[in-house]
Amino acid sequence: MGAVDGFSGDIELDDLDLDAEADEEADEASRGLFDDLLEGEPIFENKEVLRPSYTPHKLPHREEQINNMATILVTALRGDTPSNILIYGKTGTGKTASAKFVSEELETTSQKYEVPCEVQYINCEVTDTQYRVLAQLANKFIEKNETYIEDRLEDLEALRERVNDSDEPTTALEDTEFDGAVALEDRITTLEDDLEEFDPVPMTGWPTDRVYSTFFDAVDYHERVVVIMLDEIDKLVEKSGDDTLYNLSRMNSELENSRVSIMGISNDLKFTDFLDPRVKSSLGEEEIVFPPYDATQLRDILQHRAETAFKPDILTEDVIPLCAAFAAQEHGDARRALDLLRTAGELAERDRTETVEEKHVRKAQQKIELDRVVEVVRTLPTQSKLVLYATILLEKNGVHNINTGEVFNIYKRLCQEIDVDVLTQRRVTDLISELDMLGIVNAIVVSKGRYGRTKEIKLSVPLDETEAVLLSDSRVGEVEDAQPFVQARFDN
Ligand code: ADP
Ligand code: MG
């Protein structure tokens, strides 16, 4: 027996040795990739705080706007319908963050005082058709109703138990809305039936009026005030018109149990110009403007976040002021300011320096600018990409004062090469103007005396990176060797 024991013991030992060896090998294998990066003190304490998804609980310099919203919405806590609100302001002025903050406070307070009030937030950039908005609302309210019914049922079933256990059923029902065990039973059955009946809206396929009536019934299921927040409302109107808003804004005259109030949030100050006048006046009962932040305000915002985002003493003195100054130029965009600070921190981390410095902010600014350009260029339609590519080819060959005709000639050859329809020179001129508006090229009109007028076109973005993005497009990438076309221009 002893020998057998020893034998098996040996095997175990061998196994252990092998395991240890394997572990060591695995250690070696993974060291190169992550271990080096993990070494050294990290700069960030909590990077999440600098991400757009983080909702701060303190919003400096938005006290006035937040108080205005609260003053209007407090009506809901008194059981009345608040006025509809329209919120305007450029991107990054804190609209979404403030609205979410206010809605959380509103719901918490409504629970505290047991007033039925619910807020539903929808981002219309994502949910951008009437069908989708109504379907999402319907399904959210069906969900809320189900929870409401389940809670009610739990209470009533407990009551039923007390009634059954008691010798005096009527005493057990005293102070309740039920005058007898039968009424209680009926109520339970009704609620159970209701629970069965809710029919969630599929993401496509139903006629819109059926979606609307499902939503309507779900909202009206019991007494409450409902605040519907439609963020990026301008995107919804741009894509799908104002039918959704029209339908939502006239609901109150037909609802029996509940009341709806709408809070629209728009980046576009002029979007109400596209609305039906009735919708416009109903939606804009109250208006709140979010002005851009100035550099000092942005500094406060950054300072506040930096305290939790970074380890102590990581930022050198100039970092926050410089991020704030750059973002102030970018129409006072707090999102840009936070992006800059986060990216600067990441670049410092990559450099393995112990502090974040001014140079990291400058590099971050360049990187963000370039990312923006890449994204704009990447999503251009093929025709615009070809026009841009023609411009790049001319610049690469040292052509100065590029005019529309020259761009058009190269563009035409590129189209022929990859078998794309050639647009008229007039259309190409329009595309050049669009590229100008996007900040990708700079086109100025110059007079050529009696030969009329033309445009002089210059690239406003880094050439090599832009060319690389263009060539990564599956169609444009088909152009194998563009040099001959440009050469031909000189031979003409
Ligand atoms: P908008 O909806 O107006 O485009 P957001 O509310 O999304 O802007 O704000 C952009 C970013 O800036 C978010 O990360 C947000 O948390 C932050 N932010 C905006 N205003 C403030 C503020 N006053 N205090 C702290 N953070 C802010
Ligand atoms: Mg927003």
Side-chain angles (χ1 to χ4, degrees):
M1 278 302 264
V4 174
D5 269 345
F7 184 62
S8 69
D10 277 355
I11 289 183
E12 273 166 23
L13 263 182
D14 275 359
D15 277 355
L16 278 177
D17 278 356
L18 279 177
D19 280 355
E21 239 168 70
D23 278 355
E24 228 166 75
E25 258 170 46
D27 260 11
E28 276 304 310
S30 62
R31 182 161 291 143
L33 192 54
F34 290 111
D35 293 47
D36 288 354
L37 289 168
L38 266 178
E39 266 167 34
E41 281 295 297
I43 287 185
F44 291 105
E45 180 74 49
N46 179 4
K47 190 152 75 174
E48 290 312 307
V49 171
L50 298 178
R51 290 196 188 280
S53 50
Y54 175 83
T55 309
H57 300 290
K58 265 215 161 105
L59 293 155
H61 305 294
R62 281 301 173 244
E63 293 84 2
E64 187 190 326
Q65 286 77 11
I66 288 176
N67 280 335
N68 283 346
M69 278 191 249
T71 312
I72 299 163
L73 292 176
V74 72
T75 317
L77 296 174
R78 304 202 174 103
D80 292 326
T81 326
S83 304
N84 294 331
I85 310 176
L86 253 187
I87 290 177
Y88 294 106
K90 293 199 169 162
T91 49
T93 50
K95 302 181 298 297
T96 302
S98 304
K100 285 199 165 167
F101 172 77
V102 170
S103 75
E104 274 166 30
E105 291 280 308
L106 183 61
E107 285 198 320
T108 328
T109 321
S110 86
Q111 278 157 15
K112 192 163 99 190
Y113 294 105
E114 294 183 5
V115 211
C117 168
E118 279 159 13
V119 185
Q120 192 54 56
Y121 173 91
I122 291 198
N123 183 339
C124 302
E125 189 172 21
V126 185
T127 311
D128 60 359
T129 62
Q130 160 150 264
Y131 189 104
R132 283 193 214 142
V133 170
L134 295 177
Q136 190 172 329
L137 286 171
N139 292 343
K140 289 284 183 195
F141 283 104
I142 287 175
E143 234 173 74
K144 288 180 194 234
N145 291 344
E146 285 169 346
T147 319
Y148 168 84
I149 293 178
E150 279 157 11
D151 290 350
R152 279 290 283 153
L153 278 174
E154 219 169 272
D155 293 347
L156 295 182
E157 278 157 8
L159 179 62
R160 175 165 66 186
E161 225 160 89
R162 283 202 298 281
V163 172
N164 289 344
D165 289 351
S166 145
D167 307 331
E168 284 283 338
T170 28
T171 334
L173 285 173
E174 249 171 38
D175 295 334
T176 69
E177 57 196 288
F178 305 104
D179 53 14
V182 178
L184 172 61
E185 212 48 53
D186 281 353
R187 193 63 211 277
I188 291 177
T189 317
T190 316
L191 286 173
E192 281 168 349
D193 288 349
D194 287 352
L195 202 52
E196 291 283 300
E197 255 174 47
F198 288 123
D199 198 3
V201 182
M203 278 332 281
T204 56
W206 281 11
T208 312
D209 51 356
R210 181 168 173 205
V211 184
Y212 177 78
S213 64
T214 306
F215 157 63
F216 185 96
D217 293 342
V219 170
D220 213 22
Y221 183 71
H222 67 92
E223 204 174 296
R224 63 183 150 194
V225 177
V226 161
V227 180
I228 297 175
M229 287 191 179
L230 297 170
D231 202 352
E232 316 266 340
I233 193 174
D234 44 326
K235 305 273 167 46
L236 173 68
V237 173
E238 195 181 299
K239 168 108 195 277
S240 319
D242 60 2
D243 291 352
T244 322
L245 303 180
Y246 179 75
N247 288 326
L248 290 178
S249 64
R250 63 184 191 112
M251 273 179 84
N252 280 336
S253 55
E254 285 161 27
L255 288 165
E256 283 179 9
N257 303 312
S258 62
R259 289 288 171 268
V260 164
S261 151
I262 306 165
M263 181 157 144
I265 304 177
S266 168
N267 290 320
D268 179 355
L269 306 170
K270 288 213 228 92
F271 103 101
T272 50
D273 294 356
F274 305 106
L275 297 180
D276 176 303
R278 283 169 298 180
V279 179
K280 182 173 173 172
S281 67
S282 154
L283 208 59
E285 284 170 338
E286 298 278 353
E287 298 192 335
I288 301 176
V289 176
F290 280 58
Y293 296 114
D294 64 28
T296 324
Q297 293 171 329
L298 288 170
R299 259 190 238 186
D300 284 344
I301 293 171
L302 290 177
Q303 194 64 49
H304 214 83
R305 295 272 192 110
E307 279 159 24
T308 28
F310 292 97
K311 299 225 175 248
D313 304 324
I314 291 284
L315 302 184
T316 55
E317 221 172 89
D318 318 323
V319 167
I320 286 182
L322 192 59
C323 290
F326 277 139
Q329 283 166 16
E330 198 71 34
H331 66 254
D333 183 344
R335 184 178 295 114
R336 169 60 79 94
L338 289 161
D339 274 353
L340 270 171
L341 188 58
R342 192 190 69 241
T343 310
E346 286 169 347
L347 291 171
E349 207 169 41
R350 223 169 287 169
D351 271 3
R352 302 203 202 176
T353 54
E354 275 161 21
T355 50
V356 185
E357 289 154 33
E358 188 188 320
K359 67 171 186 214
H360 297 122
V361 179
R362 293 192 187 281
K363 256 203 237 161
Q365 169 79 352
Q366 279 169 7
K367 181 174 183 298
I368 291 173
E369 256 316 303
L370 189 60
D371 287 351
R372 186 193 75 85
V373 170
V374 166
E375 192 48 29
V376 173
V377 173
R378 201 179 57 77
T379 51
L380 287 175
T382 308
Q383 291 287 356
S384 303
K385 281 182 175 166
L386 290 170
V387 171
L388 180 60
Y389 191 33
T391 316
I392 286 185
L393 289 173
L394 288 162
E395 277 209 5
K396 263 175 75 169
N397 281 275
V399 180
H400 298 293
N401 310 333
I402 302 169
N403 63 42
T404 319
E406 288 169 316
V407 172
F408 182 71
N409 284 335
I410 307 284
Y411 154 84
K412 203 163 56 182
R413 283 161 188 267
L414 290 171
C415 289
Q416 286 156 356
E417 168 81 6
I418 60 168
D419 218 7
V420 166
D421 290 342
V422 180
L423 301 178
T424 61
Q425 181 158 344
R426 202 191 174 83
R427 266 301 285 150
V428 168
T429 310
D430 290 343
L431 293 182
I432 292 173
S433 304
E434 282 173 29
L435 292 173
D436 188 6
M437 280 193 296
L438 289 168
I440 300 175
V441 302
N442 181 13
I444 46 168
V445 179
V446 289
S447 165
K448 291 267 170 193
R450 63 195 174 94
Y451 300 108
R453 296 183 319 161
T454 181
K455 276 185 174 165
E456 265 179 29
I457 303 146
K458 252 208 226 101
L459 206 61
S460 331
V461 290
L463 190 145
D464 292 336
E465 283 89 347
T466 310
E467 184 180 23
V469 179
L470 287 175
L471 292 176
S472 71
D473 177 287
S474 59
R475 293 310 303 277
V476 183
E478 283 173 35
V479 182
E480 299 236 312
D481 182 10
Q483 205 53 33
F485 314 144
V486 190
Q487 217 55 57
R489 167 189 180 269
F490 296 103
D491 301 340
N492 274 343

